[in-house]
Short mmCIF file of all heavy atoms in Angstrom, two decimals:
data_model
loop_
_atom_site.label_atom_id
_atom_site.label_comp_id
_atom_site.label_asym_id
_atom_site.label_seq_id
_atom_site.Cartn_x
_atom_site.Cartn_y
_atom_site.Cartn_z
N HIS A 127 209.18 141.50 60.57
CA HIS A 127 210.32 141.98 59.77
C HIS A 127 209.85 142.88 58.62
O HIS A 127 210.53 143.85 58.26
CB HIS A 127 211.11 140.79 59.22
CG HIS A 127 212.30 141.20 58.41
ND1 HIS A 127 212.28 141.28 57.03
CD2 HIS A 127 213.55 141.57 58.79
CE1 HIS A 127 213.47 141.66 56.60
NE2 HIS A 127 214.26 141.85 57.64
N ALA A 128 208.69 142.56 58.05
CA ALA A 128 208.18 143.37 56.94
C ALA A 128 208.02 144.83 57.34
O ALA A 128 208.29 145.74 56.55
CB ALA A 128 206.84 142.81 56.45
N TYR A 129 207.60 145.09 58.57
CA TYR A 129 207.46 146.47 59.03
C TYR A 129 208.79 147.04 59.52
O TYR A 129 209.02 148.26 59.43
CB TYR A 129 206.41 146.56 60.13
CG TYR A 129 205.01 146.52 59.58
CD1 TYR A 129 204.13 145.49 59.92
CD2 TYR A 129 204.57 147.48 58.69
CE1 TYR A 129 202.85 145.44 59.38
CE2 TYR A 129 203.30 147.44 58.15
CZ TYR A 129 202.44 146.42 58.50
OH TYR A 129 201.19 146.36 57.96
N GLN A 130 209.67 146.19 60.02
CA GLN A 130 210.97 146.67 60.47
C GLN A 130 211.74 147.32 59.33
O GLN A 130 212.51 148.26 59.55
CB GLN A 130 211.78 145.51 61.07
CG GLN A 130 211.20 144.96 62.36
CD GLN A 130 211.92 143.70 62.81
OE1 GLN A 130 213.12 143.51 62.52
NE2 GLN A 130 211.22 142.81 63.49
N VAL A 131 211.57 146.82 58.11
CA VAL A 131 212.31 147.34 56.96
C VAL A 131 211.45 148.28 56.12
O VAL A 131 211.92 148.80 55.10
CB VAL A 131 212.84 146.19 56.08
CG1 VAL A 131 213.80 145.32 56.87
CG2 VAL A 131 211.70 145.35 55.52
N ASP A 132 210.21 148.52 56.52
CA ASP A 132 209.31 149.37 55.73
C ASP A 132 209.63 150.84 55.96
O ASP A 132 210.22 151.22 56.98
CB ASP A 132 207.86 149.09 56.13
CG ASP A 132 206.88 149.43 55.02
OD1 ASP A 132 207.22 150.29 54.17
OD2 ASP A 132 205.78 148.85 54.99
N THR A 133 209.23 151.67 55.01
CA THR A 133 209.48 153.11 55.13
C THR A 133 208.41 153.81 55.96
O THR A 133 208.61 154.95 56.38
CB THR A 133 209.53 153.77 53.73
OG1 THR A 133 208.32 153.45 53.03
CG2 THR A 133 210.71 153.26 52.94
N VAL A 134 207.27 153.16 56.19
CA VAL A 134 206.21 153.79 56.98
C VAL A 134 206.43 153.52 58.46
O VAL A 134 207.07 152.55 58.85
CB VAL A 134 204.81 153.31 56.56
CG1 VAL A 134 204.52 153.68 55.12
CG2 VAL A 134 204.66 151.80 56.77
N ASP A 135 205.90 154.42 59.30
CA ASP A 135 206.03 154.30 60.75
C ASP A 135 204.87 153.53 61.37
O ASP A 135 204.88 153.26 62.57
CB ASP A 135 206.11 155.70 61.38
CG ASP A 135 207.28 156.51 60.85
OD1 ASP A 135 208.40 155.96 60.82
OD2 ASP A 135 207.08 157.67 60.45
N GLY A 136 203.86 153.20 60.57
CA GLY A 136 202.70 152.47 61.07
C GLY A 136 201.56 152.57 60.08
O GLY A 136 201.76 152.88 58.90
N LEU A 137 200.33 152.33 60.57
CA LEU A 137 199.15 152.35 59.70
C LEU A 137 198.03 153.17 60.32
O LEU A 137 197.92 153.27 61.55
CB LEU A 137 198.63 150.94 59.43
CG LEU A 137 199.19 150.22 58.20
CD1 LEU A 137 200.56 149.66 58.49
CD2 LEU A 137 198.26 149.11 57.74
N LEU A 138 197.21 153.73 59.44
CA LEU A 138 195.97 154.36 59.87
C LEU A 138 194.84 153.69 59.10
O LEU A 138 194.69 153.89 57.91
CB LEU A 138 195.99 155.87 59.60
CG LEU A 138 194.86 156.68 60.24
CD1 LEU A 138 195.29 158.12 60.49
CD2 LEU A 138 193.59 156.68 59.39
N GLY A 139 194.08 152.84 59.82
CA GLY A 139 193.01 152.08 59.18
C GLY A 139 191.81 152.95 58.88
O GLY A 139 191.43 153.82 59.68
N LEU A 140 191.19 152.72 57.73
CA LEU A 140 190.02 153.50 57.30
C LEU A 140 188.79 152.61 57.09
O LEU A 140 187.94 152.91 56.27
CB LEU A 140 190.34 154.27 56.02
CG LEU A 140 191.31 155.45 56.18
CD1 LEU A 140 191.70 156.02 54.82
CD2 LEU A 140 190.71 156.55 57.05
N SER A 141 188.73 151.50 57.85
CA SER A 141 187.55 150.66 57.80
C SER A 141 186.66 150.92 59.02
O SER A 141 187.01 151.69 59.91
CB SER A 141 187.96 149.18 57.76
OG SER A 141 188.45 148.83 56.48
N TYR A 142 185.54 150.21 59.05
CA TYR A 142 184.57 150.41 60.12
C TYR A 142 185.00 149.73 61.41
O TYR A 142 185.90 148.90 61.45
CB TYR A 142 183.20 149.89 59.67
CG TYR A 142 182.61 150.65 58.51
CD1 TYR A 142 182.83 150.23 57.20
CD2 TYR A 142 181.84 151.79 58.73
CE1 TYR A 142 182.29 150.93 56.13
CE2 TYR A 142 181.30 152.49 57.66
CZ TYR A 142 181.52 152.06 56.37
OH TYR A 142 180.99 152.76 55.31
N SER A 143 184.28 150.05 62.51
CA SER A 143 184.68 149.59 63.84
C SER A 143 184.66 148.08 63.99
O SER A 143 185.40 147.52 64.80
CB SER A 143 183.78 150.23 64.90
OG SER A 143 183.99 151.64 64.94
N GLY A 144 183.83 147.38 63.23
CA GLY A 144 183.78 145.93 63.33
C GLY A 144 185.06 145.24 62.90
O GLY A 144 185.24 144.04 63.15
N VAL A 145 185.96 145.97 62.24
CA VAL A 145 187.22 145.40 61.74
C VAL A 145 188.35 145.55 62.75
O VAL A 145 189.36 144.86 62.68
CB VAL A 145 187.60 146.05 60.39
CG1 VAL A 145 188.93 145.54 59.87
CG2 VAL A 145 186.51 145.79 59.37
N SER A 146 188.20 146.45 63.72
CA SER A 146 189.27 146.73 64.67
C SER A 146 189.66 145.48 65.45
O SER A 146 188.81 144.69 65.85
CB SER A 146 188.84 147.83 65.64
OG SER A 146 189.82 148.03 66.65
N PHE A 147 190.96 145.30 65.69
CA PHE A 147 191.45 144.19 66.49
C PHE A 147 191.29 144.47 67.99
O PHE A 147 191.57 143.61 68.81
CB PHE A 147 192.92 143.92 66.16
CG PHE A 147 193.11 142.97 65.02
CD1 PHE A 147 192.76 143.34 63.72
CD2 PHE A 147 193.64 141.72 65.22
CE1 PHE A 147 192.94 142.47 62.67
CE2 PHE A 147 193.82 140.83 64.16
CZ PHE A 147 193.46 141.21 62.88
N ILE A 148 190.88 145.69 68.36
CA ILE A 148 190.68 146.04 69.75
C ILE A 148 189.18 146.03 70.03
O ILE A 148 188.44 146.88 69.51
CB ILE A 148 191.26 147.44 70.07
CG1 ILE A 148 192.68 147.56 69.54
CG2 ILE A 148 191.22 147.70 71.57
CD1 ILE A 148 193.24 148.96 69.59
N PRO A 149 188.66 145.08 70.82
CA PRO A 149 187.22 144.97 71.03
C PRO A 149 186.60 146.26 71.57
O PRO A 149 187.14 146.89 72.48
CB PRO A 149 187.11 143.84 72.06
CG PRO A 149 188.36 143.05 71.90
CD PRO A 149 189.42 144.04 71.53
N GLY A 150 185.48 146.66 70.96
CA GLY A 150 184.74 147.81 71.45
C GLY A 150 185.27 149.17 71.05
O GLY A 150 184.71 150.20 71.44
N VAL A 151 186.35 149.21 70.28
CA VAL A 151 186.95 150.49 69.90
C VAL A 151 186.25 151.09 68.70
O VAL A 151 185.91 150.39 67.74
CB VAL A 151 188.45 150.30 69.60
CG1 VAL A 151 189.02 151.49 68.84
CG2 VAL A 151 189.22 150.11 70.89
N THR A 152 186.01 152.40 68.75
CA THR A 152 185.49 153.12 67.60
C THR A 152 186.66 153.53 66.72
O THR A 152 187.59 154.19 67.18
CB THR A 152 184.71 154.38 68.03
OG1 THR A 152 183.65 153.98 68.91
CG2 THR A 152 184.13 155.11 66.83
N THR A 153 186.64 153.11 65.46
CA THR A 153 187.76 153.39 64.57
C THR A 153 187.80 154.87 64.19
O THR A 153 186.84 155.62 64.38
CB THR A 153 187.67 152.56 63.28
OG1 THR A 153 186.46 152.90 62.59
CG2 THR A 153 187.69 151.08 63.58
N PHE A 154 188.92 155.27 63.62
CA PHE A 154 189.10 156.64 63.15
C PHE A 154 187.99 157.03 62.19
O PHE A 154 187.41 158.12 62.28
CB PHE A 154 190.47 156.76 62.47
CG PHE A 154 190.76 158.11 61.87
CD1 PHE A 154 191.21 159.15 62.66
CD2 PHE A 154 190.58 158.32 60.51
CE1 PHE A 154 191.47 160.39 62.10
CE2 PHE A 154 190.85 159.55 59.94
CZ PHE A 154 191.29 160.59 60.74
N LEU A 155 187.65 156.13 61.26
CA LEU A 155 186.61 156.42 60.27
C LEU A 155 185.27 156.67 60.95
O LEU A 155 184.59 157.66 60.66
CB LEU A 155 186.49 155.25 59.29
CG LEU A 155 185.36 155.39 58.26
CD1 LEU A 155 185.70 156.46 57.24
CD2 LEU A 155 185.11 154.06 57.56
N ASP A 156 184.86 155.78 61.86
CA ASP A 156 183.58 155.96 62.52
C ASP A 156 183.57 157.20 63.42
O ASP A 156 182.55 157.86 63.58
CB ASP A 156 183.22 154.72 63.34
CG ASP A 156 182.66 153.60 62.45
OD1 ASP A 156 182.20 153.92 61.34
OD2 ASP A 156 182.68 152.44 62.87
N ASN A 157 184.73 157.52 64.00
CA ASN A 157 184.81 158.73 64.82
C ASN A 157 184.53 159.99 64.01
O ASN A 157 183.79 160.86 64.45
CB ASN A 157 186.20 158.83 65.47
CG ASN A 157 186.21 158.31 66.89
OD1 ASN A 157 185.19 158.33 67.58
ND2 ASN A 157 187.36 157.85 67.34
N ILE A 158 185.14 160.09 62.81
CA ILE A 158 184.96 161.31 62.05
C ILE A 158 183.55 161.42 61.49
O ILE A 158 183.02 162.52 61.31
CB ILE A 158 186.01 161.44 60.91
CG1 ILE A 158 185.91 160.27 59.91
CG2 ILE A 158 187.40 161.57 61.46
CD1 ILE A 158 186.90 160.38 58.76
N VAL A 159 182.89 160.27 61.24
CA VAL A 159 181.52 160.29 60.74
C VAL A 159 180.53 160.56 61.87
O VAL A 159 179.66 161.44 61.77
CB VAL A 159 181.18 158.97 60.02
CG1 VAL A 159 179.70 158.93 59.65
CG2 VAL A 159 182.02 158.82 58.77
N GLU A 160 180.66 159.82 62.98
CA GLU A 160 179.71 159.95 64.09
C GLU A 160 179.75 161.32 64.74
O GLU A 160 178.73 161.80 65.26
CB GLU A 160 179.98 158.87 65.13
CG GLU A 160 179.66 157.46 64.65
CD GLU A 160 180.10 156.39 65.63
OE1 GLU A 160 180.54 156.77 66.75
OE2 GLU A 160 180.01 155.20 65.29
N ASN A 161 180.90 161.97 64.72
CA ASN A 161 181.03 163.29 65.34
C ASN A 161 180.91 164.43 64.35
O ASN A 161 181.16 165.59 64.69
CB ASN A 161 182.37 163.39 66.08
CG ASN A 161 182.42 162.49 67.29
OD1 ASN A 161 181.80 162.79 68.31
ND2 ASN A 161 183.16 161.39 67.19
#
Side-chain angles (χ1 to χ4, degrees):
H127 181 263
Y129 282 118
Q130 293 172 29
V131 298
D132 205 334
T133 55
V134 297
D135 301 311
L137 269 79
L138 191 153
L140 289 173
S141 285
Y142 295 92
S143 294
V145 177
S146 175
F147 272 68
I148 311 170
V151 164
T152 302
T153 61
F154 177 82
L155 176 71
D156 280 340
N157 263 333
I158 60 179
V159 173
E160 291 173 8
N161 291 286

